[in-house]
Amino acid sequence: MKVLVIQIKMIGDVLASTVICETIKKNLPGAEVHYLIQKNTFPVVDNNPFIDKVLFFEPQEHKGFLNLYRFGKSLKKEQYDIVIDAYGKWDSILPAYFSGAKTIVGHYKWYTTFFYTKTVVPDADCNATANAYRLLLSKTALGKEVEMIFPQIHLRDEEKEKAKTAIQENCDTSKPIFMIGILGSGKNKSLPPKYMAETLDLITNTKDVQLLFNYMPNQLEEVRAIYDLCSPATKAKINLDFYAKSLRDFIALQSQCDALIGNEGGATNMAKALNVPTFTIYAPWINRTSWNIKEETGFYDIVHLCDYHPELYQKHAKNYKALAFEWYEKLKPELFAEKLKAFVLRVTK
């Protein structure tokens, strides 16, 4: 038995779809599971024991119908029994179809029934819809019920030790260490700078902690602008110069932190996959229930504008993307101050 799971693009999605690989492997122990992803997302699946082989989708090399057809034909040589397409766009639909697999499972759209042998309709209203969708794909491919599981990142012992040493050399380990998701994946997924600075002040006023920022070198100007808005007391608790220089290094550093606080995005999903507590600030136009998991534990808290202004949401959150900047102004830190303080105290007991 040979199974291909396809998940192109975003890091959070690639991590989320590892539950498909794990579910298949646990239910079909003898199966060989391959995972098709983009190269830049490999760090979140590196060393995953439920993936036998990683294949890479190259956006430029596989661009256009003819190249997607050729790519699909190259997959046919692998003789897959099952292909599970978690991405559901033409870049994955066509290669899945041309792979020639007996069973091809994917998201139902009016046209996908021509390319898939089995389709699913996600439950858009349940909690953790992103995770539920992946498990539904797995269940449909296997033809039986599957257990509830969540994504996990599998670090090597030497990676953890390296990160631990780096933190010991750069931080005061007698204090709790929080990683801050200082910026979202775009401006319309980032809390306004003045509000983020206020949020950091709330944290440091609640507990004597050290703050590390998750950012790329080319984002330093934006990050410094937020830093400059913080109080002098908060600035003294921020180690601005210590940051991970690669995604895998970030994952290892995150594993050694007491919590991740900040904008919703891939970093939040990675922290959860490391069982690190998270306090996540959602963009007003992102669905609150898409990525929330284990919120009932108190270690994975979420705040969303709809929690405080439910009257604004007459339709699904995604319909308000154009209002992101206007609505972010309504998400004042004072609204979630008590919830944030409680979280900080809870995870640093």
Side-chain angles (χ1 to χ4, degrees), residues 11 25-26 37 52 65 90 100 106 108 123 130 138 147 176 198-199 212 241 246 257 270 274 295 304 309 315 327:
I11 290 168
K25 201 74 172 173
K26 286 180 174 178
I37 60 174
D52 297 296
F65 176 84
W90 289 115
Y108 173 80
D123 182 351
S138 305
E147 68 172 323
E198 289 178 29
T199 301
L212 304 179
D241 298 321
S246 73
C257 293
M270 287 183 271
L274 294 164
E295 197 177 346
H304 193 289
H309 290 286
K315 295 181 287 186
W327 280 17

Side-chain angles (χ1 to χ4, degrees), residues 320-334:
Y320 303 105
K321 186 175 181 179
L323 297 172
F325 298 110
E326 178 186 338
W327 280 17
Y328 254 133
E329 291 296 323
K330 300 178 186 293
L331 190 55
K332 297 178 180 180
E334 63 194 53

Side-chain angles (χ1 to χ4, degrees), residues 5 34 38 40 44 46 61 70 83 90 133 153 158 171 200 209 211-212 215 238 250 272 324-325 334:
V5 179
H34 294 187
Q38 285 187 193
N40 66 303
V44 298
D46 186 13
E61 182 182 334
R70 288 170 178 161
V83 172
W90 289 115
Y133 168 56
I153 291 177
E158 54 267 31
C171 304
L200 300 182
V209 298
L211 305 181
L212 304 179
Y215 69 96
I238 297 170
F250 166 74
K272 289 178 179 178
F325 298 110
E334 63 194 53

Side-chain angles (χ1 to χ4, degrees), residues 178-205 211-215 219 221-231 234-235 238 240 260-265 267-268 279-283 303 328-337 340 344:
F178 289 174
M179 184 70 76
I180 303 297
I182 196 73
L183 299 171
S185 57
K187 290 186 183 298
N188 64 356
K189 290 184 72 175
S190 301
L191 196 65
K194 60 182 178 180
Y195 288 173
M196 179 54 76
E198 289 178 29
T199 301
L200 300 182
D201 288 343
L202 278 169
I203 296 168
T204 58
N205 288 335
L211 305 181
L212 304 179
F213 286 174
N214 168 35
Y215 69 96
Q219 297 174 317
E221 188 176 336
E222 291 177 81
V223 170
R224 190 168 286 281
I226 296 171
Y227 173 85
D228 289 342
L229 292 170
C230 293
S231 71
T234 297
K235 287 178 182 178
I238 297 170
L240 191 59
L260 170 77
I261 298 175
N263 294 290
E264 182 270 330
T268 300
F279 187 94
T280 309
I281 304 165
Y282 271 59
V303 292
Y328 254 133
E329 291 296 323
K330 300 178 186 293
L331 190 55
K332 297 178 180 180
E334 63 194 53
L335 293 175
F336 56 82
L340 176 57
V344 169

Side-chain angles (χ1 to χ4, degrees), residues 73-225:
K73 287 298 184 182
S74 72
L75 294 176
K76 192 172 185 178
K77 297 174 185 176
E78 295 280 358
Q79 297 183 317
Y80 292 113
D81 297 283
I82 301 172
V83 172
I84 302 173
D85 179 13
Y87 186 53
K89 297 183 181 178
W90 289 115
D91 284 353
S92 58
I93 293 170
L94 292 176
Y97 176 73
F98 290 122
S99 73
K102 297 173 186 175
T103 301
I104 305 173
V105 184
H107 188 167
Y108 173 80
K109 296 169 186 173
W110 68 266
Y111 53 86
T112 56
T113 52
F114 295 102
F115 301 95
Y116 300 145
T117 61
K118 297 180 180 181
T119 58
V120 304
V121 178
D123 182 351
D125 298 318
C126 69
N127 278 332
T129 51
N131 197 66
Y133 168 56
R134 270 81 181 180
L135 293 176
L136 178 59
L137 288 169
S138 305
K139 170 186 171 181
T140 304
L142 292 166
K144 64 177 184 177
E145 293 295 330
V146 298
E147 68 172 323
M148 174 67 73
I149 60 170
F150 301 101
Q152 295 289 317
I153 291 177
H154 302 269
L155 287 167
R156 300 174 181 85
D157 289 340
E158 54 267 31
E159 291 177 304
K160 296 176 189 175
E161 285 304 314
K162 180 183 174 184
K164 191 174 182 179
T165 299
I167 285 180
Q168 288 173 342
E169 291 174 349
N170 291 276
C171 304
D172 181 356
T173 54
S174 67
K175 299 176 182 178
I177 299 172
F178 289 174
M179 184 70 76
I180 303 297
I182 196 73
L183 299 171
S185 57
K187 290 186 183 298
N188 64 356
K189 290 184 72 175
S190 301
L191 196 65
K194 60 182 178 180
Y195 288 173
M196 179 54 76
E198 289 178 29
T199 301
L200 300 182
D201 288 343
L202 278 169
I203 296 168
T204 58
N205 288 335
T206 303
K207 192 83 174 184
D208 185 14
V209 298
Q210 289 206 327
L211 305 181
L212 304 179
F213 286 174
N214 168 35
Y215 69 96
M216 300 296 289
N218 64 347
Q219 297 174 317
L220 181 58
E221 188 176 336
E222 291 177 81
V223 170
R224 190 168 286 281

Side-chain angles (χ1 to χ4, degrees), residues 261-309:
I261 298 175
N263 294 290
E264 182 270 330
T268 300
N269 299 321
M270 287 183 271
K272 289 178 179 178
L274 294 164
N275 298 314
V276 173
T278 61
F279 187 94
T280 309
I281 304 165
Y282 271 59
W285 60 276
I286 297 296
N287 186 27
R288 191 193 190 285
T289 61
S290 292
W291 296 95
N292 63 324
I293 60 171
K294 298 185 281 188
E295 197 177 346
E296 68 282 356
T297 66
F299 291 98
Y300 302 96
D301 255 341
I302 290 173
V303 292
H304 193 289
L305 183 62
C306 70
D307 297 334
Y308 310 103
H309 290 286

